[in-house]
């Protein structure tokens, strides 16, 4: 069973993310991280802040993410979405169908004639995911970052993500017109 990098690291991350994970205690928070590591999809990425190689675990059904050092020490645990884990630097994450994630880039199934509104939604979404990543990687030592801020931002990201998936599904179901 993996341990946290330090006890202080665990305490800081519990204070920051307990609300979004509904963890009633540090023990519940740790158990959630352990379970995510056990049942989540394993992938690798490079930490944006430190440049260090990390092993990530993402559980799609619960939207939980946990990460460890290459030595197995847990460094973070929080709720996010698939686009976030797929957009991590050098991420090897794949969705459940083993298809490459697109990180907000166009796929062949998408309409070639994306409107400027669609492009704006995609840009705002990518920006919010990056902001969430920066906030989520901070600890409670930064008094300007409150756990509810992370929770509210994640709610907004989920809403935009759902909208984007609906738009892409609609575009994929439209017949392709040849000229």
């Amino acid at each position: 069973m993996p341990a946290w990098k330090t006890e202080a690291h665990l305490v800081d991350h519990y204070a920051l993310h307990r609300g979004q994970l509904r963890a009633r205690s540090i023990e519940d928070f740790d158990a959630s991280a352990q379970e995510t590591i056990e049942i989540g999809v394993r992938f690798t990425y490079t930490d944006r802040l430190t440049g260090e190689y990390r092993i990530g675990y993402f559980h799609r059904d619960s939207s939980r993410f946990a990460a460890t050092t290459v030595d197995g020490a847990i460094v973070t645990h929080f709720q996010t979405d698939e686009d976030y884990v797929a957009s991590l630097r050098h991420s090897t994450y794949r969705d459940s169908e083993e298809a490459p994630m697109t990180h907000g880039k166009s796929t062949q199934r998408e309409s070639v004639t994306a409107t400027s509104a669609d492009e704006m939604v995609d840009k705002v979404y990518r920006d919010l995911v990056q902001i969430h990543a920066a906030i989520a990687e901070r600890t409670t030592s930064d008094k300007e970052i409150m756990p509810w801020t992370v929770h509210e931002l994640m709610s907004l990201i989920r809403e935009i993500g759902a909208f984007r998936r609906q738009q892409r599904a609609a575009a994929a179901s439209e017949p392709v017109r040849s000229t």
Side-chain angles (χ1 to χ4, degrees):
M1 176 153 75
W4 282 80
K5 191 172 183 178
T6 66
E7 186 67 25
H9 206 80
L10 168 59
V11 171
D12 284 348
H13 278 267
Y14 168 71
L16 185 61
H17 302 295
R18 69 180 176 206
Q20 62 185 218
L21 291 165
R22 294 185 175 95
R24 295 178 186 247
S25 67
I26 289 178
E27 292 77 18
D28 287 348
F29 183 75
D30 180 47
S32 176
Q34 300 291 338
E35 182 182 50
T36 303
I37 290 168
E38 184 178 320
I39 65 175
V41 172
R42 185 182 190 275
F43 65 99
T44 58
Y45 70 98
T46 305
D47 185 282
R48 292 180 215 274
L49 299 177
T50 65
E52 294 175 2
Y53 184 70
R54 297 278 190 238
I55 301 169
Y57 302 86
F58 180 68
H59 185 247
R60 185 186 216 180
D61 294 340
S62 64
S63 299
R64 289 181 298 170
F65 168 69
T68 66
T69 62
V70 292
D71 297 331
I74 302 171
V75 292
T76 195
H77 177 53
F78 54 91
Q79 258 186 326
T80 191
D81 68 3
E82 252 180 334
D83 282 344
Y84 170 76
V85 297
S87 69
L88 290 168
R89 199 162 127 207
H90 304 123
S91 177
T92 61
Y93 180 78
R94 302 284 187 246
D95 69 10
S96 61
E97 284 88 38
E98 294 299 315
M101 296 298 294
T102 61
H103 320 307
K105 298 174 187 165
S106 295
T107 64
Q108 290 179 344
R109 295 184 333 194
E110 289 183 89
S111 170
V112 178
T113 58
T115 66
S116 60
D118 290 338
E119 291 169 356
M120 178 61 88
V121 168
D122 282 349
K123 181 190 179 318
V124 169
Y125 181 81
R126 286 190 306 272
D127 290 348
L128 286 173
V129 167
Q130 295 301 320
I131 292 166
H132 179 265
I135 291 172
E137 290 172 1
R138 291 189 181 190
T139 65
T140 55
S141 62
D142 186 341
K143 300 299 181 196
E144 294 179 21
I145 305 299
M146 303 302 265
W148 64 264
T149 306
V150 174
H151 176 74
E152 291 299 315
L153 184 56
M154 189 65 236
S155 295
L156 182 59
I157 289 170
R158 280 197 185 115
E159 287 177 31
I160 294 173
F163 174 77
R164 290 172 72 220
R165 285 187 292 279
Q166 288 172 351
Q167 294 295 77
R168 288 187 177 127
S173 66
E174 290 178 7
V176 177
R177 298 177 193 169
S178 60
T179 56

